[in-house]
Amino acid sequence: AFKSEQYDIAIKYFTDYIRHNQNSGKLYLTYYYRGLSYEELYRNSGNENLIQLAILDLENVIKLSPNFSKAYTKLGNIYNNAI
């Protein structure tokens, strides 16, 4: 769903995965891609709640995997461009 730009559907899949796989070693990636999905929906709608959800997800990525540099980059880009 993410690759086909069906971000609302992707968010549902990512949320379900997060809910049922709290001990997964790849949980940070799920938060990352859900955050990207929220950001894309924000760009299409301008809904401020969506960008806040993207920020929360990216902050979760950093907590779970502090060395995952893409999360820092994306978060910085959001702060520079969206807020």
Side-chain angles (χ1 to χ4, degrees):
F2 180 82
K3 287 184 180 182
S4 61
E5 298 181 3
Q6 296 175 319
Y7 300 113
D8 52 343
I9 295 170
I11 288 169
K12 290 177 186 175
Y13 286 132
F14 294 140
T15 301
D16 189 51
Y17 183 87
I18 291 166
R19 186 176 298 123
H20 297 290
N21 297 281
Q22 284 295 307
N23 295 320
S24 170
K26 299 291 183 181
L27 192 59
Y28 73 97
L29 286 174
T30 308
Y31 276 110
Y32 180 72
Y33 284 109
R34 189 175 73 170
L36 297 183
S37 297
Y38 281 131
E39 181 192 21
E40 288 299 326
L41 287 179
Y42 163 76
R43 288 177 192 237
N44 295 332
S45 71
N47 181 338
E48 293 291 327
N49 292 329
L50 295 171
I51 203 65
Q52 294 303 320
L53 292 171
I55 290 168
L56 289 174
D57 275 356
L58 291 167
E59 288 173 346
N60 279 323
V61 173
I62 292 167
K63 287 178 190 171
L64 292 168
S65 184
N67 294 326
F68 188 67
S69 62
K70 288 182 179 183
Y72 294 97
T73 302
K74 179 54 74 176
L75 193 56
N77 288 338
I78 286 174
Y79 279 118
N80 284 331
N81 299 316
I83 296 182

